Amino acid sequence: MVAELLTTETFIFDSVINLALFIILILVYTKTRELYTLSLEKGIRYLNYAMLFYLIGISFNYAIVLVNFLTQEYFAVTPLTLIIRFFNIMGSSLGGFYLAYCIMWRKFEHFRKSPTIITAKLVCISLFIASAETFLLVNYGVQIPFIYFGILIAVLLFAILTNHECCTKKQKEMPVNPYLSLVGLSLGVYVVLFIEALLLPVLFTVHFYSKAIVLVFALTFYYHVQRVL
């Protein structure tokens, strides 16, 4: 199975998918940055932050793909792979948190929470997640980042349900949040990647299907950004 993961064909496939995702994230980041400059709307600002950290996360994710291919060692635990994995998890965690925050910021602002304090807390939580996953990998050989996926899926799901409930109760006063669909699509990406991580050790072909599904989600995400913003 490891040999299948490290073939030239798989590397080219992963490179194309990562490049496509990177371009989509760049387009969304540029679009949201321009819109925030014009409107100064906080939801767009936090969505823009999410795209920035997703760009960081996907860059380190491709670094993992590249190192694995060059060294021909998929499950190797080295200082380099640990550092890359650490920043991949941290960047992707912050991206997920800011995406949830773009539909939740009014709730926190209601309690007069400073954006700086919120940012510091999100960074600390992301550091904890990345550190915990690194610890479990080094000391217990746990390859699947259960903590990362568990927390991010729970946070995004909580943000969606809470926001939807709030909009339902105040339907006449408050329309459905336009970013709700974006958060829902991102939740789908985390779920798909989690399923891939669970099945990959025993079913390699799930890798191709999951990456294709993630790309479809990303294209749909970009379409929704163009439509709702």
Side-chain angles (χ1 to χ4, degrees):
M1 196 278 292
V2 175
E4 291 177 306
L5 284 169
L6 299 173
T7 62
T8 303
E9 291 77 10
T10 303
F11 175 70
I12 293 173
F13 173 81
D14 285 343
S15 297
V16 171
I17 292 292
N18 276 277
L19 177 61
L21 293 174
F22 193 84
I23 291 172
I24 292 169
L25 288 172
I26 283 286
L27 292 173
V28 176
Y29 173 78
T30 303
K31 175 76 172 179
T32 52
R33 188 172 181 83
E34 291 175 354
L35 289 173
Y36 175 67
T37 302
L38 294 172
S39 67
L40 298 180
E41 204 272 306
K42 290 185 178 180
I44 297 177
R45 178 175 68 177
Y46 297 128
L47 178 60
N48 181 251
Y49 288 170
M51 295 305 104
L52 175 61
F53 285 112
Y54 278 141
L55 281 168
I56 294 172
I58 198 172
S59 297
F60 281 102
N61 179 69
Y62 184 67
I64 293 174
V65 173
L66 186 60
V67 169
N68 287 340
F69 179 72
L70 293 176
T71 61
Q72 288 294 297
E73 293 183 350
Y74 189 76
F75 295 111
V77 179
T78 66
L80 179 60
T81 57
L82 287 175
I83 291 171
I84 295 173
R85 189 174 188 264
F86 181 92
F87 285 107
N88 167 240
I89 291 176
M90 186 172 176
S92 300
S93 297
L94 280 167
F97 287 141
Y98 269 113
L99 197 63
Y101 195 57
C102 82
I103 62 173
M104 293 287 289
W105 66 269
R106 287 185 178 87
K107 191 177 185 67
F108 288 95
E109 191 174 78
H110 175 72
F111 293 104
R112 303 191 179 189
K113 295 290 186 181
S114 165
T116 304
I117 294 175
I118 295 296
T119 297
K121 289 183 176 180
L122 294 181
V123 170
C124 288
I125 296 171
S126 299
L127 276 170
F128 165 76
I129 293 172
S131 300
E133 295 294 0
T134 302
F135 174 82
L136 290 174
L137 176 59
V138 172
N139 292 278
Y140 299 99
V142 180
Q143 293 279 347
I144 301 172
F146 289 103
I147 298 174
Y148 162 72
F149 282 119
I151 291 178
L152 268 297
I153 290 173
V155 166
L156 291 172
L157 186 60
F158 174 77
I160 291 171
L161 295 177
T162 302
N163 192 268
H164 183 268
E165 182 182 359
C166 182
C167 293
T168 302
K169 288 181 180 178
K170 302 179 180 180
Q171 194 164 9
K172 294 182 180 179
E173 306 170 14
M174 183 185 297
V176 175
N177 195 308
Y179 308 123
L180 202 58
S181 59
L182 301 178
V183 180
L185 287 167
S186 297
L187 174 62
V189 170
Y190 281 100
V191 171
V192 169
L193 292 177
F194 185 35
I195 293 173
E196 179 195 359
L198 291 172
L199 296 180
L200 192 60
V202 295
L203 183 64
F204 168 70
T205 52
V206 73
H207 175 73
F208 297 107
Y209 292 113
S210 68
K211 290 298 183 287
I213 292 171
V214 167
L215 181 58
V216 171
F217 274 125
L219 289 169
T220 308
F221 189 99
Y222 177 66
Y223 168 76
H224 276 271
V225 167
Q226 294 292 333
R227 187 172 65 86
V228 304
L229 296 183

